[in-house]
Each structure stands twice: as C-alpha cells, then as structure tokens.
Amino acid sequence: MTLPAWFSATAGTAGGLTLLGWRGLRALLRPPYELRLWLREMEQIGVRSLGVAAITTIFTGMVLALQTSYSLPALGVKFYIGTVVSKSLVRELGPVLTALIVGGRIGAGMTAELGTMKVTEQIDALRSMATNPLKRLVAPRLAAALVMLPVLTVIGDLLGILGGMAIAVFQLRLTAGFYLNDVLGALTLEDVFSGLGKSFFFAYFITVIGCYNGLNVRGGADGVGRATTDTVVMASIMVLVADFFLTKLFYIVF
C-alpha cells in the first residue's frame, strides 16, 4: 500500500470510529433503554471476564512485591512494599492490564458477533424492520463496558494488593497489619479517581473499535477472522497510547 493510500485508509478509519462513537453515545443516552440487553451484555463482559482479570492482577501484585524486595533491599524498600504495590496498581497497572486482557477478550467477542451478523445479513434484516442497529447492538455493549470495566478494575486492584500482601507476609516476614496500614496511608482519592477515570476511557475505546470492525466486515468468514485480529491489535495500541495522555492529564488535574 502506498503512503497516500495508507494515509487515506487511516483517516477514513479514524473518522468512522469517531462517528460511530458519537452515534453510539447518542443512542445510549436516548430513551427507550434496553435494560434487558444491557444486563445480558454486563454478564457477558463483566462476570465472564472476572476470572482472567483476577488472575492477571493477583500475580501482577505478587510480582511487583517480589521484584521490589529483590531489587532495592539496601534502600529499605521492604518496609514500603504496600506503597509501591498499591500506587503502581491503582494508578497504572490495574487499569491498563485489565483493559489489555479483558479488552482483548470482549473486543474480539464484539467483532466476531457483529461481524457474523453482518455477513449473514442479520443487520440488514434489523434495518428492514425499522430497528436501529446502533440502539439494539452498539448501545448495550457500550453501556455494559462503561459499567463493568471500572468494576473489574476495582476488583483487580484489590486482588493485586492482596497478592502483594501474600508476598510481604510469607516472603518478607512483614505483618499483614503493617502492610495494610502502609497501603491505606499511601493511597489517596486522587489515585483512585485517576485509575477509574482511565478505565472509563479504555472501555469506550475498546467498545467503539470492536463494534466498528464488526459492523464493517467484508468477505465472509475470512473477513470476520481478520476483523477480530484487527480489533485486538487496535484496541491494545489505543489503550497504551491513551494511557500516556491520560496519565499526563490526570497528574495535571489531580
């Protein structure tokens, strides 16, 4: 692909994502509200992703505590393990890792489901019955992601902190009370709001990318596979790029 063609395709994708995101928010906020569809998507996105989010964050907290205790023993960091683990997880690693792991799963699922509906002409059938596909297909997924990804992030942060406590107690011979007091003394509301704020943005980006690729599938079953792969790659890159700018923004705000 030549540079002008690549630039044109990239600009077209960016414009399509922006337009779909705006229309999806409008469909989400306008009544009537499809609460039954919202709850079904919350179960698909949140409850079924709890296991992978829990495993990821627990072992991340354990690795953080272990690496810190091995790398910086001369500085007395052993006694500040709670600060290192809690600050790192709540502000940065918790939202980002949850978005990458869970986002890859739910984004690919959205693309595969909508892409299959696209190639089997089910979306055209909805339009023929005067049903708005954005209201029926995009808005419930967007609502579920905006609710459940922050919830998963909070649960992941708590589990990661507990994973760090396990290392502090059994490996470093600290007491659980000392570790938890360090955590409570280190964390602030600004840290919590920063992590939660990121997770809302990540949920929005992942959902828009997943739905956009699904609704624009071309080429049958092969096209669905390619679109699913594109969703995982695009969502992961978007999360990491957005994390940089959101980190700078929240440090200015908070």
Side-chain angles (χ1 to χ4, degrees):
M1 181 182 294
T2 62
L3 185 60
W6 176 86
F7 182 80
S8 177
T10 302
T13 300
L17 288 169
T18 303
L19 188 59
L20 178 63
W22 170 246
R23 289 177 174 175
L25 280 177
R26 288 177 59 190
L28 171 65
L29 297 175
R30 286 183 175 179
Y33 304 110
E34 303 282 354
L35 296 180
R36 183 174 297 179
L37 291 178
W38 290 17
L39 291 175
R40 188 186 71 180
E41 293 299 330
M42 287 179 186
E43 192 270 338
Q44 291 280 346
I45 291 173
V47 177
R48 297 194 180 188
S49 300
L50 182 59
V52 65
I55 292 173
T56 300
T57 50
I58 286 174
F59 282 95
T60 298
M62 295 173 71
V63 169
L64 272 174
L66 203 58
Q67 287 285 14
T68 303
S69 65
Y70 283 157
S71 302
L72 301 172
L75 301 179
V77 178
K78 167 183 177 180
F79 300 103
Y80 300 99
I81 292 294
T83 298
V84 174
V85 172
S86 60
K87 285 278 190 180
S88 301
L89 278 173
V90 172
R91 263 198 175 268
E92 189 65 31
L93 293 178
V96 172
L97 289 177
T98 302
L100 288 175
I101 301 299
V102 176
R105 177 189 176 277
I106 64 177
M110 291 177 189
T111 300
E113 187 175 358
L114 295 181
T116 302
M117 295 180 68
K118 173 76 174 190
V119 299
T120 55
E121 300 182 350
Q122 296 181 50
I123 295 178
D124 294 332
L126 287 176
R127 291 194 180 98
S128 69
M129 294 185 293
T131 300
N132 185 357
L134 292 178
K135 190 70 175 177
R136 185 77 177 178
L137 302 176
V138 177
R141 289 169 172 81
L142 186 57
L146 289 173
V147 171
M148 297 309 298
L149 193 60
V151 171
L152 290 173
T153 299
V154 171
I155 295 173
D157 290 341
L158 294 174
L159 292 175
I161 291 171
L162 292 178
M165 185 177 73
I167 296 298
V169 171
F170 296 108
Q171 181 79 22
L172 306 178
R173 305 304 179 189
L174 300 176
T175 64
F178 181 89
Y179 175 88
L180 292 176
N181 284 335
D182 189 31
V183 169
L184 294 176
L187 283 180
T188 63
L189 288 177
E190 288 80 4
D191 297 326
V192 176
F193 290 150
S194 175
L196 285 179
K198 287 181 180 181
S199 65
F200 280 107
F201 282 98
F202 295 159
Y204 176 76
F205 294 144
I206 291 166
T207 305
V208 171
I209 290 171
C211 292
Y212 176 82
N213 286 336
L215 293 172
N216 290 276
V217 164
R218 299 289 186 273
D222 290 340
V224 174
R226 288 193 300 271
T228 302
T229 302
D230 290 343
T231 293
V232 175
V233 174
M234 291 172 62
S236 300
I237 293 173
M238 192 64 193
V239 165
L240 295 174
V241 172
D243 178 56
F244 171 77
F245 292 102
L246 290 173
T247 299
K248 292 183 71 68
L249 173 64
F250 288 134
Y251 267 113
I252 293 172
V253 173
F254 299 125

